[in-house]
Amino acid sequence: MKGVQSHEIILQGLEILNKLEHRGAVGSDPLTGDGAGILIQMPHRFFKTQCANVGIHLPEAGRYGAGLVFFPRDRDRAERCIKIMEDVVHREGLQLLGWREVPVNNMTIGETARKSEPIMRQVFIGNPSADAMDFERRLYGVRKLAAREIREAGLNASDVEFYICSLSARTFLYKGQLMAPQVAKYFLDIQNPEMESALALCHARYSTNTFPSWSRAQPLRLLAHNGEINTVRGNTDWIRARESLFASDLFPDIK
């Protein structure tokens, strides 16, 4: 992924996001939105500095992946989720570089959003291979396997409590059950001028057939879409009934 990185591009993306405030929905709590966020290029210079401050040594850009992870509010369950995810990282032959607590200002959001606000961590995972696409596939495997094992352990309910917002060596995502103007105020990282990107993809959600949650905020890991699939349960059941037909040598552990 190439392009001239700057903090100004992120600010321009946030300006566009704020102009979407009219199409984002709120409920009875006027300060709790249906969800909003911004996807950016991996902010290597920013992460290099911030991780060094907490004892995490990052390799050069492209040789590590990072993701924003939501955990259950209950500390014990959150720690169990972290342990499962760390085990999956090691089983996939990757190196866990460390966790960073995400600095936020939750006084800027509504009471409803605060009551369901997850524990948030940024995870950093090292790449032992020079093959960028192989690394992206392994990170995808970590995301899917960790989610499945945590769900099977009874620690998550329909991806509402434990949720990996993004996990990649190329992009990073900040999102939450927020209104559009709250994104930059809530995530303190975004205000740092060292945070730079060559792209900014933003979205404010208006939920129509699913209840708002931190995990359902947009953008998604690779895109944003203006609309909802009105047969979510039907499509989920359809694909689960055919999971046994899926196979790929590129994803041998995901079945």
Side-chain angles (χ1 to χ4, degrees), residues 92-239:
E92 288 300 292
L94 301 175
Q95 179 186 9
L96 181 71
L97 300 176
W99 297 90
R100 174 179 178 253
E101 188 170 345
V102 184
V104 300
N105 177 13
N106 66 5
M107 298 308 295
T108 65
I109 63 178
E111 182 180 357
T112 303
R114 279 200 302 273
K115 286 182 177 179
S116 59
E117 182 183 22
I119 293 174
M120 288 185 215
R121 297 289 185 272
Q122 290 168 350
V123 63
F124 296 89
I125 300 173
N127 178 13
S129 169
D131 187 331
M133 287 309 300
D134 175 67
F135 186 42
E136 287 293 325
R137 285 192 292 267
R138 291 198 199 190
L139 292 174
Y140 174 82
V142 167
R143 181 167 63 80
K144 299 299 288 185
L145 290 168
R148 185 177 72 186
E149 293 185 20
I150 286 170
R151 182 175 63 250
E152 291 175 350
L155 298 172
N156 194 21
S158 304
D159 290 333
V160 172
E161 295 180 301
F162 172 83
Y163 187 81
I164 302 176
C165 299
S166 64
L167 188 59
S168 173
R170 300 179 295 180
T171 59
F172 197 87
L173 175 59
Y174 288 92
K175 73 172 187 176
Q177 193 174 343
L178 310 168
M179 299 170 64
Q182 293 173 338
V183 173
K185 297 176 183 177
Y186 178 81
F187 289 109
L188 302 182
D189 284 354
I190 297 176
Q191 303 171 20
N192 193 308
E194 278 196 341
M195 176 164 282
E196 300 167 327
S197 178
L199 66 89
L201 175 67
C202 56
H203 190 65
R205 183 172 187 254
Y206 187 109
S207 60
T208 58
N209 67 343
T210 51
F211 197 75
S213 72
W214 283 80
S215 61
R216 293 192 182 106
Q218 287 209 44
L220 305 179
R221 299 176 185 100
L222 293 173
L223 54 80
H225 68 86
N226 186 24
E228 294 197 21
I229 301 172
N230 292 315
T231 54
V232 173
R233 180 171 295 178
N235 279 284
T236 299
D237 292 342
W238 186 91
I239 204 69

Side-chain angles (χ1 to χ4, degrees), residues 24-140:
V26 296
S28 57
D29 178 354
L31 293 179
T32 295
D34 277 6
I38 184 169
L39 182 147
I40 60 174
Q41 193 172 8
M42 184 67 73
H44 175 64
R45 186 164 77 101
F46 171 78
F47 278 153
K48 189 82 172 176
T49 300
Q50 298 301 316
C51 284
N53 291 338
V54 293
I56 301 173
H57 174 71
L58 291 185
E60 63 188 59
R63 297 307 299 268
Y64 69 93
L68 178 66
V69 187
F70 294 162
F71 290 103
R73 292 167 58 85
D74 179 81
R75 294 282 174 177
D76 178 66
R77 292 170 62 212
E79 288 299 323
R80 292 169 64 190
C81 289
I82 289 173
K83 179 62 168 58
I84 290 174
M85 188 169 173
E86 289 179 347
D87 289 344
V88 171
V89 169
H90 294 310
R91 290 205 312 266
E92 288 300 292
L94 301 175
Q95 179 186 9
L96 181 71
L97 300 176
W99 297 90
R100 174 179 178 253
E101 188 170 345
V102 184
V104 300
N105 177 13
N106 66 5
M107 298 308 295
T108 65
I109 63 178
E111 182 180 357
T112 303
R114 279 200 302 273
K115 286 182 177 179
S116 59
E117 182 183 22
I119 293 174
M120 288 185 215
R121 297 289 185 272
Q122 290 168 350
V123 63
F124 296 89
I125 300 173
N127 178 13
S129 169
D131 187 331
M133 287 309 300
D134 175 67
F135 186 42
E136 287 293 325
R137 285 192 292 267
R138 291 198 199 190
L139 292 174
Y140 174 82

